């Protein structure tokens, strides 16, 4: 695969990545970014988006990509290596038998354990390669699903931050796809013929996230803008909306009705 054979992302996705990067001040001059490249559609689109941004941006930054092989080295990553080579992005592989560990432990929360292990491996790889930022491919749907999971299971309306510094590792995590819908990322990955790897996780069929996604799909069928409304609420929480133990000012609440335009 040659560099000239890889077309640019759609203007819509480029704008959403640029909006996220600018609004949350994700990238500064001289940053070295390690991309968590899982081989899924999100991380592949993220990689191409950042490669394009690197070419266009007046802010100089460098890129590398790391694949954590949860099978312990059994996955064929040649297509990912070729993809990264075509974008002039150094590619690294870190094999770890995460699937075997989960099976041996009969882990009750396999997704959480897997995410923690992979994050630790990516942090280590980023440090070893001199990177100060770790870029992950979480999209708008992931944000909203996480907010629903927290609301239903912990009673708190919150989701992960688009940019945050991990206190233990000292690594800063950025998520440039937080404004991009999953279906549009999937459509773009298919249009560009990206080398999406087969999904090898055997524990992902009956999870809290799958349940949240199902609920969100049903809600979206009746209100196509619901994802954007929830995203808006996460960014603009109003202190006046909280219940107070004292007397609240008698003001009429805002009545829903005006749809939020897609960002």
């Amino acid at each position: 695969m040659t560099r000239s054979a890889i077309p640019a992302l759609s203007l819509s996705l480029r704008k959403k990545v640029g909006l996220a990067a600018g609004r949350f001040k994700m990238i500064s001059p001289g940053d070295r970014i390690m991309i968590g490249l899982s081989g899924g559609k999100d991380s592949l689109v993220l990689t191409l988006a950042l490669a394009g941004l690197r070419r266009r941006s007046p802010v100089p930054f460098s890129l590398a990509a790391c694949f954590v092989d949860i099978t312990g080295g059994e996955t064929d990553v040649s297509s990912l290596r070729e993809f990264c080579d075509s974008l002039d992005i150094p590619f690294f592989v870190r094999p770890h038998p995460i699937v075997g560990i989960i099976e041996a432990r009969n882990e009750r929360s396999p997704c959480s354990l897997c995410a923690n292990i992979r994050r630790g491996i990516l942090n280590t790889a980023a440090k070893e390669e001199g990177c100060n930022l770790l870029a992950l491919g979480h999209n708008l749907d992931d944000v909203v699903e996480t907010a629903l999971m927290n609301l239903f299971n912990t009673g708190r309306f919150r989701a992960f931050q688009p940019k945050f510094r991990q206190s233990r590792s000292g690594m800063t995590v950025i998520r440039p796809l937080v404004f991009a819908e999953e279906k549009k990322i999937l459509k773009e990955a298919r249009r560009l013929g990206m080398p999406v790897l087969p999904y090898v996780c055997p524990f992902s069929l009956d999870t809290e996230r799958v349940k949240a996604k199902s609920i969100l799909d049903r809600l979206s069928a009746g209100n196509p803008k619901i994802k954007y409304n929830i995203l808006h609420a996460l960014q603009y929480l109003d202190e006046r909306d909280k219940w107070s133990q004292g007397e609240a000012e008698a003001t009429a609440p805002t009545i829903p009705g005006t749809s939020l335009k897609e960002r």
Side-chain angles (χ1 to χ4, degrees), residues 16-256:
K16 290 180 185 298
V17 170
L19 176 61
R23 177 171 298 180
F24 302 110
K25 299 178 174 61
M26 291 184 177
I27 303 174
S28 300
D31 278 341
R32 297 176 59 86
I33 304 173
M34 177 64 78
I35 303 167
L37 181 57
S38 69
K41 64 185 185 311
D42 301 307
S43 64
L44 286 165
V45 167
L46 171 65
T47 301
L48 185 55
L50 289 176
L53 184 62
R54 181 182 59 180
R55 291 192 295 267
R56 300 189 309 272
S57 175
V59 176
F61 63 91
S62 63
L63 295 172
C66 181
F67 174 76
V68 178
D69 184 357
I70 65 174
T71 67
E74 298 178 4
T75 305
D76 180 5
V77 297
S78 57
S79 61
L80 296 184
R81 188 178 302 279
E82 182 181 356
F83 176 74
C84 289
D85 287 347
S86 71
L87 297 172
D88 195 23
I89 296 176
F91 177 67
F92 305 93
V93 180
R94 294 293 187 273
H96 199 79
I98 299 177
V99 173
I101 292 172
I102 292 174
E103 290 175 340
R105 291 176 49 165
N106 194 24
E107 180 62 39
R108 296 181 59 184
S109 301
C111 293
S112 177
L113 177 61
C114 180
N116 288 335
I117 295 176
R118 284 188 292 111
R119 182 73 56 81
I121 294 172
L122 287 172
N123 284 334
T124 300
K127 287 183 176 180
E128 290 175 350
E129 300 305 326
C131 297
N132 63 307
L133 297 180
L134 175 61
L136 302 178
H138 296 108
N139 56 48
L140 186 151
D141 292 65
D142 294 321
V143 175
V144 175
E145 289 159 12
T146 300
L148 292 180
M149 290 162 61
N150 279 321
L151 181 62
F152 297 155
N153 298 318
T154 70
R156 300 181 67 185
F157 183 65
R158 60 179 298 188
F160 48 74
Q161 294 292 330
K163 177 182 179 181
F164 78 101
R165 187 175 186 275
Q166 300 175 114
S167 57
R168 288 188 178 181
S169 68
M171 186 68 56
T172 297
V173 174
I174 60 173
R175 296 179 167 99
L177 294 181
V178 290
F179 290 145
E181 276 193 83
E182 182 178 26
K183 64 181 181 181
K184 295 183 179 179
I185 292 173
L186 176 59
K187 180 179 179 180
E188 195 68 356
R190 288 174 173 170
R191 181 181 73 85
L192 296 174
M194 289 186 166
V196 177
L197 293 185
Y199 203 56
V200 297
C201 176
F203 309 105
S204 59
L205 298 179
D206 185 25
T207 65
E208 290 300 317
R209 184 167 296 279
V210 170
K211 296 174 184 176
K213 184 182 292 290
S214 176
I215 292 172
L216 184 59
D217 287 343
R218 292 198 298 270
L219 293 174
S220 298
N223 180 3
K225 295 297 182 182
I226 193 168
K227 295 177 187 177
Y228 290 92
N229 289 340
I230 294 175
L231 186 68
H232 181 273
L234 284 167
Q235 297 177 81
Y236 303 103
L237 291 173
D238 195 326
E239 290 292 323
R240 295 173 299 177
D241 292 337
K242 292 183 178 179
W243 284 16
S244 173
Q245 294 181 355
E247 292 185 1
E249 183 179 354
T251 56
T254 301
I255 304 300

